[in-house]
Amino acid sequence: MKVLLTRPEGRNQFVAKALTQQQVPYCITPLLAVTATNDINDPIALGSFRNADIVIFISTNAVDYAAQALNNQFPNHPRYFAVGRATYLALKALNVDALEAPQDCQQTEGLLTLSALQDLVGKNVTIVRGIGGREALAEQLRQRGANVHYWQVYQRVAPSLTPAVAAQWQQDKIDTIVVTSGEILANLIKLVPKELFAWLHACHIIVPSDRVYDQAINAGFNRVTNAKAANNDAVLKALGISA
């Protein structure tokens, strides 16, 4: 097994260290870059955030960029939620107490099963996320009576890479690729030239959710493992590596 790690810059070290300890060869090529949005300090979005009864963080990037905008000064009155374990731990590191999605479903669908998010009539909810996220969470919360607002604090862009990078992966005998979002998968498919699709589709793909699993199968991948979450422990477990 030789693994390709594709998270944004600075997000691959933990898994890389575990692979090194187990003497599993790997390559790091970020297939997604993350930057702050131009309107991160938008007064309307910030006002909704500060007046929210419930705040839901979608990702660690959401936590990081919100923390920068707030100078780590999070309001005390809202009830905080995190979609996944890594996001929960990022909030905890900032001394923000939060509830997280269940361990067996670390995604939107799991978060929506929490009892604290069932009766939301009249509640003001702010979802902190990146531009272009899914609408399923907001739709469900509105159906439960919540007034939902977004604070979009980061944006995702594809790094400037050429198809020669994919040819090098094949030459390096990459056979396992960690894909932690649908956007990374889409960028991977877009980058690889058609003449290398046979190699790509034969690779073992690690994905974080049912949604991205379906996306990979529909794209022609034959060996797809659903890690059920995007956090490091879930990825390593799917790779058969102990942390």
Side-chain angles (χ1 to χ4, degrees):
M1 178 171 67
K2 186 166 186 179
V3 182
L4 175 64
L5 303 177
T6 63
R7 286 183 190 268
E9 191 72 37
R11 301 287 187 188
N12 295 290
Q13 294 94 323
F14 187 93
V15 173
K17 182 178 179 181
L19 292 173
T20 298
Q21 290 173 343
Q22 297 293 324
Q23 298 184 324
V24 176
Y26 65 88
C27 170
I28 297 176
T29 307
L31 293 181
L32 197 67
V34 179
T35 62
T37 58
N38 293 328
D39 55 354
I40 189 172
N41 294 314
D42 174 66
I44 296 176
L46 273 170
S48 295
F49 172 82
R50 295 186 188 281
N51 293 320
D53 302 302
I54 292 172
V55 174
I56 300 173
F57 283 91
I58 297 298
S59 65
T60 55
N61 287 317
V63 175
D64 292 344
Y65 284 96
Q68 291 176 30
L70 297 168
N71 292 319
N72 294 342
Q73 301 299 310
F74 287 79
N76 293 321
H77 62 275
R79 194 165 191 184
Y80 291 96
F81 292 82
V83 170
R85 183 67 177 174
T87 306
Y88 166 81
L89 292 174
L91 287 167
K92 186 176 181 180
L94 294 168
N95 296 314
V96 177
D97 292 327
L99 294 176
E100 63 177 313
Q103 289 297 312
D104 60 349
C105 191
Q106 292 263 296
Q107 49 195 291
T108 295
E109 291 73 13
L111 190 76
L112 286 166
T113 67
L114 296 178
S115 59
L117 291 177
Q118 301 308 307
D119 183 7
L120 300 175
V121 175
K123 297 292 185 182
N124 293 313
V125 179
T126 290
I127 298 173
V128 187
R129 68 172 192 172
I131 291 176
R134 296 170 64 199
E135 299 300 323
L137 177 57
E139 289 171 358
Q140 287 293 318
L141 296 175
R142 288 189 180 108
Q143 288 179 16
R144 297 174 186 185
N147 303 308
V148 181
H149 305 274
Y150 287 121
W151 184 21
Q152 300 188 130
V153 296
Y154 67 94
Q155 56 193 339
R156 295 158 291 230
V157 297
S160 298
L161 298 170
T162 67
V165 172
Q168 188 62 53
W169 294 337
Q170 184 192 36
Q171 291 176 20
D172 290 343
K173 301 189 185 306
I174 292 292
D175 58 14
T176 304
I177 305 176
V178 175
V179 170
T180 51
S181 73
E183 284 174 287
I184 289 178
L185 179 59
N187 289 344
L188 172 68
I189 294 168
K190 191 179 300 182
L191 177 66
V192 176
K194 290 183 178 179
E195 58 267 25
L196 294 181
F197 272 14
W199 160 77
L200 179 64
H201 288 157
C203 286
H204 181 199
I205 306 295
I206 308 297
V207 300
S209 66
D210 294 340
R211 181 176 60 87
V212 184
Y213 177 90
D214 291 341
Q215 185 180 341
I217 293 297
N218 291 335
F221 290 94
N222 302 309
R223 300 171 57 213
V224 185
T225 296
N226 186 352
K228 299 291 185 182
N231 63 67
N232 293 322
D233 289 342
V235 168
L236 290 172
K237 183 178 179 180
L239 288 169
I241 302 294
S242 57

